[in-house]
Amino acid sequence: MPLTFFTPGPAQLYPTFEQHVQSFVSGQLGSISHRSQQYRDLHKFTVGQLRILLNVPDTHQIMFLGSASEAWERILFSCVELESFHLVNGSFSKKFCEYSSALNKYAHKFEKPMGEGFTADEIEVPEYAELICVTHNETSSGVQMPVSEIHKLKQKSPDKFIAVDIVSSAPYPDLDYNLIDTAFFSVQKAFGLPAGLGVWIVSEKCLEKAKQIKNQYSIGAHNDLPTLWKNALNNETPATPNVMAIYLLGKIAEDFNKIGIGNIRKTTEEKAALIYDFIEKTAGFSSFVKEPQNRSQTVVVANVEAPAADVIKKIKEKGMVIGSGYGEFKGSQLRIANFPATSYDAVEKLVYELGNA
């Protein structure tokens, strides 16, 4: 019996994935040179589809990395000479902060317990911090910071760079890239692809900052921002890229654009409402994130009274896989991904089976 994955990443493969793989293989695209016009056309297509989908202006470049985790390092090298500032409310926002310290930057942080969110009004950005690091969707805890609050935070501190982690939410958030300096995601979550590709969206202002820092400090030897940018202008990458993943991402982004980003956001919210309604009304379940405005639309986290492993096992017997809680919450929580690859009908079935688990 084929399984449906509601895991927060790697997640369910998008329904058109297999046909796109077949077209990649039949076109022998795995053997083309990454310095060929054929590759440059492929690269340009993917970037173009992402620009449409995410509404990324020409002031920003879209570049490819090995993972979203690599983006943490690239951003810190490129935008921080001395001090960064991090909003921390879960494991992944904490790791971003730890990367800064590991690179010998001074990492300020405003930390809240897992399950709690932030508002722009309560945040005081340290005077000498150069970069504000925000996690739009904290995968570990199911907290989503409203995009309006992210925009407000930048407007409060227009002289600071702002970096937004959209790893487990893109393409859902409607970010205004006139305000957002850099954002990043990986493809194994909402884009319904296997892991192995990170996408980094970067402004020209970040590029200028990186060039400035490079005069005094190291900004990395492999895939530094000026080199990535120079290659991207020619629809190339510095080193041999994951051609298959870039091709597949372009095809999935094209599929999303045919559906329309407005429709994808609306369907995402409808499916999330179905899950949260079940959690709120069913004995033995409750929302980990108490404030509705902070509840993720893409990774729902539920407290469970029964052992989480027992619920996960029963659901798997029905042909569906859901995630366990993260870290210390592994035994007492469920994480349910709500990505475009799973339909409204599939979510309805999941909710029904959870009710009988």
Side-chain angles (χ1 to χ4, degrees), residues 49-330:
Q49 291 299 318
L50 288 172
R51 280 198 190 281
I52 295 167
L53 182 67
L54 302 173
N55 198 23
V56 177
D58 291 338
T59 52
H60 290 56
Q61 194 59 258
I62 299 175
M63 297 174 289
F64 302 112
L65 304 172
S67 67
S69 301
E70 184 186 345
W72 289 335
E73 185 169 289
R74 298 274 74 76
I75 290 166
L76 291 162
F77 265 138
S78 305
C79 299
V80 180
E81 186 175 341
L82 299 170
E83 300 184 26
S84 61
F85 173 59
H86 303 256
L87 301 182
V88 176
N89 62 345
S91 298
F92 294 95
S93 48
K94 183 180 180 183
K95 285 179 183 177
F96 198 171
C97 185
E98 289 170 347
Y99 269 47
S100 185
S101 299
L103 293 175
N104 295 319
K105 314 295 182 184
Y106 188 89
H108 302 267
K109 65 179 176 179
F110 177 29
E111 188 166 9
K112 285 194 173 184
M114 281 182 70
E116 295 186 19
F118 300 99
T119 60
D121 290 342
E122 67 183 333
I123 298 165
E124 292 297 327
V125 181
E127 182 180 359
Y128 295 109
E130 301 148 74
L131 173 71
I132 305 167
C133 301
V134 177
T135 301
H136 171 253
N137 195 82
E138 178 51 75
T139 315
S140 64
S141 63
V143 173
Q144 201 163 88
M145 187 171 180
V147 165
S148 59
E149 294 297 320
I150 297 173
H151 291 161
K152 265 195 252 180
L153 180 57
K154 171 65 177 183
Q155 289 163 334
K156 271 182 66 177
S157 303
D159 59 325
K160 313 289 188 187
F161 288 93
I162 189 164
V164 186
D165 176 336
I166 52 173
V167 168
S168 57
S169 56
Y172 174 75
D174 187 8
L175 292 176
D176 180 355
Y177 286 96
N178 293 309
L179 295 172
I180 305 305
D181 299 291
T182 182
F184 58 95
F185 62 90
S186 48
V187 300
Q188 73 271 20
K189 298 177 187 287
F191 282 86
L193 291 167
L197 185 68
V199 178
W200 187 20
I201 303 166
V202 196
S203 71
E204 291 171 341
K205 291 179 182 177
C206 293
L207 174 64
E208 294 310 310
K209 175 78 170 182
K211 289 177 178 177
Q212 174 194 325
I213 296 172
K214 194 173 183 178
N215 291 329
Q216 289 183 282
Y217 300 97
S218 168
I219 60 168
H222 178 66
N223 282 351
D224 72 41
L225 177 53
T227 306
L228 280 163
W229 191 290
K230 181 182 176 182
N231 278 264
L233 292 174
N234 198 36
N235 296 303
E236 293 182 359
T237 57
T240 310
N242 187 338
V243 178
M244 185 174 186
I246 293 169
Y247 171 82
L248 293 172
L249 176 59
K251 302 305 285 186
I252 298 295
E254 181 183 36
D255 292 337
F256 284 1
N257 283 324
K258 287 175 182 174
I259 296 167
I261 188 60
N263 290 325
I264 288 172
R265 288 178 180 134
K266 181 171 180 285
T267 304
T268 298
E269 289 165 3
E270 289 170 349
K271 292 188 295 173
L274 193 62
I275 301 168
Y276 281 116
D277 186 61
F278 166 80
I279 290 169
E280 292 294 294
K281 293 179 178 177
T282 306
F285 294 84
S286 62
S287 291
F288 179 50
V289 181
K290 299 308 175 192
E291 296 295 332
Q293 70 270 21
N294 293 328
R295 289 176 185 164
S296 172
Q297 298 298 294
T298 53
V299 180
V300 178
V301 178
N303 296 320
V304 286
E305 291 178 7
D310 291 352
V311 179
I312 291 168
K313 182 181 177 183
K314 288 177 183 176
I315 293 301
K316 190 171 184 179
E317 289 169 356
K318 301 295 184 180
M320 293 170 285
V321 184
I322 52 179
S324 62
Y326 197 88
E328 64 182 290
F329 298 100
K330 184 177 178 66

